[in-house]
Amino acid sequence: MQKMTDSKILESMEFTYEQLVDLKAALDKTSIVAVTDKKGLILQVNDQFCEISKYSREELIGQDHRILNSGYHPKSFFKEMWRVIGNGETWQADVCNRAKDGSLYWVKTTIVPFLGQNGKPERYISIRTDITAQKNIKKIAHIAYHDDLTGLPNRRSLSKRIENEISNGLRNKNQFAVFFFDVNRFKNINDSLGHKIGDLFLIELARRLTEIDTQSNSFYRLNGDEFVYILEDVKLVNEMAEKILDVFKASFVFDEYEFYASVSLGISVYPDHGENVSKLLKTADVAMYAAKAKKGNSFSVYKKLMRGSNDQFLILETKLHKALRENIFELRFQPTYNLQSGKIIGTESIIYWHDEDYGEMNPVEFLPFAAQCGLIIEIDQYTLKHTIQQMAQLKPYVADDFKISVDLSTDYLKDTNFIVDLTTYLEETQLEPHYIEIEISELSLLDTDLQLYDKINQLHEMGISISVDDFGMGYSSLSYLREIPINLLKIDQSFTHELNLVPANAKMVAAIISLANALNIQVVATKVENGEDLAILKELNCAFVQGLYLNDPLPLQELIAFIAKH
């Protein structure tokens, strides 16, 4: 209460600079005092200022108060302060500062301007009182520097951490690594099951990450499903990357839902890949997109020639527009086999893009970027049109029950022009609808989207087959299998891989086959890559398979020759 009285007295009095200096001396025993020039540079501080800030007088003189900035207050807070004192008025507020050792403290602050002969401030005297205890600093610090949902340190805390690591690196010539990762198809989890399940997933993910954090407080949540990890020992980059990927091996279970998730992880190293916060995060982000081009859980370390580096996203978008205008994409076809007879019974259409600068890119590499650019529907239109055209050329060489499948985004499936496009392409080629199979991601079917369900029923009435892609990566609620006409389930690679090494995978495949048989739905095991998995799938009575072990994707003429030969 006495300190508030002192402040009011200060506001009502006019002082010469010499009187303020005398007043400062009187306050030295009870208050935290500093004198600055008109630009805010510190001219004098008392012992209590040094004690609470943990800076020496020599470290403070000549600096401005940004040396104490905790990051807690928005820029508008200090903008208003300068407006008030710049007008020659006294300013009061509670301020959260950061000491040299990183600790936070609160001070009740009064800043009194000293006006020169021109009526404008020439110096300022600030009088502060420590109110840290009243402010419950631990609670405030946690709110300011931690994510509300997961409890992990937040973006503000991350920036401070990287800045500190850079300072240590400059002094000691140390390296450190920045891991940037997000959850593949996290948007589908939110869209399908709602934000409640999405939030529960993020909380559980944060808990699992904390369990493998041997450095303590080194995982950070940026926003949404984006996370960052700071690794101080770069020799452990591969080991730590594998630990993060392993977090996703076990399923996530919430209420009646059970599902698996995967992650794409990009890594940058200081100072090789950046010497400031923004550059290190940027290069790690570029590496993450390179990881997305791989299969399932994967990580990549940044390389200078990676697509997306050096701000080339705009160039890539321009190239995509040009590729659409000039029709320079290519379709290749992955044959599907009857596992018991060895007969080719169908094929999957896969779009590739060859660019003169970037080389060849598969759909995993460029379709996510195309979706961000708003080009996914146009690319899907291209894929559907040319798939139907090439099926018409393939028709004389295959049986009447042969099917060509095409994977389309839900954005295109729900587009008002989709059915019109499909009907037009079929009429132009005079191709019967039963040759076409439309693939839909399982995650897109989990929320009862009446618009999507209506399109699926229209496709069924036209005689077009429907297959569910990535089956098994969704949830234990399988009511959609009864509600919409599904012809085929494509088992996700995470279950068909290493069947001889992971018994649980074989059990899961057997369960899916049993479920499909009960519902009179066919099953395809996708992305089969070795003979051991193929033999086990045959023992499990899996009807159909496809994968690189059997064939690489083939251009149309090579597929025709291959079918004729077999």
Side-chain angles (χ1 to χ4, degrees), residues 66 107 142 163 269 305 338 384 392 395 489 499:
R66 280 180 291 189
V107 284
H142 192 276
E163 287 171 357
V269 176
L305 297 180
N338 182 314
L384 180 62
K395 177 182 173 182
L489 300 180
L499 292 171

Side-chain angles (χ1 to χ4, degrees), residues 271-274 279 283 286 301-310 312:
D272 299 355
H273 305 148
K279 185 64 175 179
T283 50
V286 169
V301 179
Y302 176 78
K303 297 177 182 177
K304 290 183 179 180
L305 297 180
M306 278 181 172
R307 286 185 278 271
S309 60
N310 300 323
Q312 292 188 28

Side-chain angles (χ1 to χ4, degrees), residues 343-549:
K343 178 183 176 183
I344 297 175
I345 54 89
T347 187
E348 178 182 352
S349 172
I350 304 172
I351 186 170
Y352 287 81
W353 174 29
H354 184 87
D355 179 78
E356 58 184 7
D357 296 319
Y358 291 124
E360 183 175 275
M361 287 178 275
N362 63 45
V364 177
E365 291 181 287
F366 71 88
L367 288 185
F369 181 77
Q372 292 179 21
C373 298
L375 295 175
I376 191 65
I377 290 179
E378 292 182 63
I379 292 177
D380 278 351
Q381 286 175 318
Y382 178 97
T383 304
L384 180 62
K385 179 179 181 178
H386 288 80
T387 295
I388 291 174
Q389 289 176 347
Q390 298 198 29
M391 181 63 230
Q393 297 179 52
L394 184 61
K395 177 182 173 182
Y397 304 94
V398 298
D400 194 53
D401 60 353
F402 189 94
K403 295 187 185 302
I404 189 167
S405 66
V406 55
D407 190 356
L408 301 174
S409 68
T410 53
D411 289 341
Y412 185 38
L413 292 173
K414 293 190 288 186
D415 188 79
T416 53
N417 293 322
F418 169 61
I419 295 296
V420 175
D421 289 344
L422 176 60
T423 303
T424 301
Y425 301 151
L426 290 171
E427 289 176 351
E428 288 176 348
T429 58
Q430 297 184 338
L431 183 70
E432 295 88 339
H434 70 262
Y435 285 106
I436 302 300
E437 177 180 282
I438 302 296
E439 290 188 19
I440 302 173
S441 169
E442 182 185 22
L443 290 176
S444 65
L445 298 172
L446 300 174
D447 191 23
T448 307
D449 188 323
L450 297 180
Q451 185 181 4
L452 180 59
Y453 281 18
D454 179 61
K455 290 291 177 66
I456 293 173
N457 285 318
Q458 290 183 57
L459 293 171
H460 178 69
E461 291 171 3
M462 291 173 64
I464 290 175
S465 298
I466 305 296
S467 65
V468 177
D469 196 17
D470 301 324
F471 187 78
M473 293 302 290
Y475 311 86
S476 56
S477 177
L478 300 174
S479 59
Y480 68 85
L481 291 177
R482 298 177 301 174
E483 296 170 359
I484 55 179
I486 300 296
N487 304 96
L488 184 72
L489 300 180
K490 289 194 165 187
I491 307 176
D492 187 79
Q493 183 198 21
S494 61
F495 298 113
T496 61
H497 184 55
E498 295 184 340
L499 292 171
N500 59 327
L501 301 177
V502 186
N505 282 357
K507 293 179 181 178
M508 181 66 75
V509 171
I512 293 173
I513 293 172
S514 177
L515 171 67
N517 289 339
L519 296 173
N520 196 29
I521 298 175
Q522 296 179 328
V523 172
V524 174
T526 64
K527 299 181 176 67
V528 177
E529 295 182 344
N530 60 69
E532 291 83 359
D533 288 338
L534 188 68
I536 294 173
L537 287 167
K538 190 169 185 177
E539 292 177 6
L540 295 173
N541 294 316
C542 181
F544 307 114
V545 293
Q546 63 177 205
L548 297 180
Y549 179 73

